[in-house]
Amino acid sequence: MKKAIRHWLVKLHRYSGLLLSLFIVMAGLTGAALAFNDDIDAWLNPQFYHLSPSSGGSRQTIDALVAKVEHDYPHAKLGFFSMGENANAPLEAKLRPRKPSDELTMDTVFIDPVTAAVVGERNTKAVSLAPQNLMPFLFRLHRYLLLDKPGAIISGSLGLLWLATLLMGFALAWPRHRKGWGKALSIKRGAGGFRLMYDLHRSVGLVAGVLLVMTAFTGAVMNLPDVARPLVSSLSPLTPPPKEVAKSLATESKQQISWQQALASAQASMPRATPARIARDDKHGIYQIRMRKPDDIQDSGSVRVFVDAADGRVLRALDPLTGSGGDAFIGVQYGLHTGQILGLPGKILVAFMGFLPLLFAITGIAIWLKKRKSETIVRARHLHQA
């Protein structure tokens, strides 16, 4: 690498890293916690995940539970019902305001599927560190910077800058010769604080940098779909997103089948999968059911089944891994970003990587301060000699 190019790469890497330091530390630490989102949330709020022993009995139909929620929360409309993998757990009902201008004090309700009793509720948009709000708050901070869609665009853009910073770091740390790898990956003992900071920054970056590049890339792809999808579709056919599919499958028939019937139709079309979520789209006259396969790439299920609300026909099933290469590419982004694609080992790896941006921020700032001090001393000497 030419000296002039390396000089500018060092400058760009240094100052983009400093600019991003707060963002990457926040994203890393919140991401580490979110890798075990459900586990931490269940520990903080066991009532949301486990039914009491007295709840024994037969489960009520989805329709009965829907009626209960709509009766108890008349000011809101039901967005969807989520079913966890644990059969001994409440169902989660997500509420939407009836008017865009309305605000809900509670937007998530947990309901006992046996007694239909509400066992918990929370507002996932609350800026609060209370146990019931902590994990939703960390998720919104991590992905949306608490700003909803504009925050996702900002976060995705910063993710692209972080990706470029990592690639510049790779270029600067890459040894010029094969024999240089031993030195590049080693940490010299007893060489002083500055050398320790430099060795940690370089060696850990070379070892874990590829995984961090993947994390930054997948986060940017998910947060910037309006940029990513056209680029992917230019290389491989891409199935429209679920909202567009719903529009294309819209029917004019009035709703006739119930939530339970729609759920049964989806399950019949995929007998080996279990339902993870069901939503009704009144505008387009369809139900959308998310199914979880035994070997699914994400905990919440990756397959979507669209059912005609008029007669219960399965209109379409979207499985990203059975579609085009573009569909598979888009479909695996969430599983890669969260580590869920590899199960528990993947989550542990993602949680571990979440602490690396903090290491890079500490070592990077320490290197910058030392360099700045040295440059100040050199300039002072030149002025004195002049």
Side-chain angles (χ1 to χ4, degrees):
M1 185 186 297
K2 293 183 179 180
K3 189 174 181 180
I5 296 176
R6 184 176 182 84
H7 171 78
W8 284 109
L9 274 181
V10 169
K11 293 283 188 182
L12 288 171
H13 178 74
R14 179 183 300 165
Y15 292 111
S16 62
L18 290 171
L19 176 66
L20 291 168
S21 57
L22 288 178
F23 169 75
I24 63 173
V25 170
M26 178 279 297
L29 295 179
T30 54
L34 290 169
F36 290 93
N37 178 77
D38 289 350
D39 303 273
I40 297 174
D41 200 30
W43 176 65
L44 293 171
N45 306 285
Q47 71 277 15
F48 296 165
Y49 290 84
H50 304 287
L51 295 174
S52 62
S54 60
S55 295
S58 59
R59 297 166 69 95
Q60 299 196 29
T61 64
I62 290 292
D63 298 292
L65 301 177
V66 168
K68 171 68 174 177
V69 172
E70 291 179 340
H71 176 270
D72 290 355
Y73 299 87
H75 57 289
K77 60 181 179 180
L78 183 60
F80 59 80
F81 252 115
S82 290
M83 308 89 167
E85 295 184 76
N86 182 8
N88 188 38
L91 301 187
E92 179 183 346
K94 188 70 174 179
L95 305 179
R96 309 287 191 201
R98 292 194 175 274
K99 297 179 181 179
S101 58
D102 293 344
E103 290 188 10
L104 300 177
T105 55
M106 296 293 171
D107 62 7
T108 305
V109 177
F110 296 87
I111 187 167
D112 187 325
V114 177
T115 65
V118 172
V119 296
E121 56 183 14
R122 67 178 168 194
N123 184 356
T124 58
K125 293 187 176 181
V127 180
S128 169
L129 298 181
Q132 69 271 24
N133 298 321
L134 178 60
M135 297 314 292
F137 167 73
L138 292 183
F139 173 77
R140 292 188 64 241
L141 178 62
H142 179 82
R143 183 165 188 181
Y144 301 109
L145 304 177
L146 305 180
L147 299 173
D148 297 322
K149 188 174 180 179
I153 295 173
I154 296 171
S155 179
S157 302
L158 292 175
L160 289 177
L161 181 57
W162 171 228
L163 176 62
T165 303
L166 288 167
L167 294 176
M168 285 187 285
F170 262 123
L172 292 168
W174 201 268
R176 297 179 182 180
H177 308 287
R178 290 184 180 180
K179 295 181 180 179
W181 277 102
K183 181 179 179 181
L185 298 177
S186 64
I187 298 175
K188 191 173 182 179
R189 298 180 181 179
F194 173 76
R195 181 59 186 267
L196 175 62
M197 295 293 104
Y198 180 83
D199 285 349
L200 280 172
H201 199 83
R202 183 183 187 183
S203 59
V204 175
L206 284 172
V207 172
V210 174
L211 296 175
L212 289 172
V213 164
M214 181 194 69
T215 303
F217 178 78
T218 53
V221 169
M222 290 190 295
N223 274 5
L224 299 172
D226 294 337
V227 176
R229 292 185 67 88
L231 290 175
V232 174
S233 63
S234 68
L235 301 174
S236 174
L238 197 60
T239 302
K243 288 185 179 180
E244 296 299 321
V245 173
K247 291 179 183 179
S248 69
L249 298 175
T251 62
E252 297 182 359
S253 303
K254 293 183 179 180
Q255 177 188 320
Q256 295 178 4
I257 68 168
S258 65
W259 290 72
Q260 193 68 40
Q261 289 172 313
L263 197 61
S265 294
Q267 286 185 284
S269 70
M270 300 188 67
R272 295 185 62 238
T274 56
R277 177 184 296 182
I278 179 171
R280 187 176 67 193
D281 186 341
D282 294 324
K283 182 178 180 180
H284 300 111
I286 61 174
Y287 285 93
Q288 184 181 153
I289 299 93
R290 183 177 291 187
M291 305 295 288
R292 185 189 300 110
K293 299 185 296 182
D295 57 346
D296 215 306
I297 58 176
Q298 61 187 65
D299 295 347
S300 58
S302 61
V303 182
R304 288 177 170 87
V305 178
F306 297 86
V307 176
D308 193 327
D311 55 20
R313 289 181 298 115
V314 173
L315 300 173
R316 191 165 185 178
L318 299 181
D319 184 344
L321 298 187
T322 60
S324 66
D327 287 334
F329 174 81
I330 294 294
V332 300
Q333 297 302 303
Y334 181 83
L336 287 171
H337 190 77
T338 60
Q340 293 178 11
I341 198 169
L342 297 177
L344 180 59
K347 294 179 184 179
I348 293 173
L349 182 61
V350 167
F352 170 75
M353 288 195 301
F355 291 92
L356 295 184
L358 177 61
L359 173 68
F360 289 138
I362 293 172
T363 55
I365 291 173
I367 293 169
W368 170 64
L369 290 174
K370 179 65 176 179
K371 292 279 189 181
R372 188 182 182 188
K373 182 178 180 180
S374 299
E375 291 170 357
T376 301
I377 293 173
V378 170
R379 283 196 299 268
R381 287 175 179 175
H382 287 166
L383 288 172
H384 179 72
Q385 292 174 356

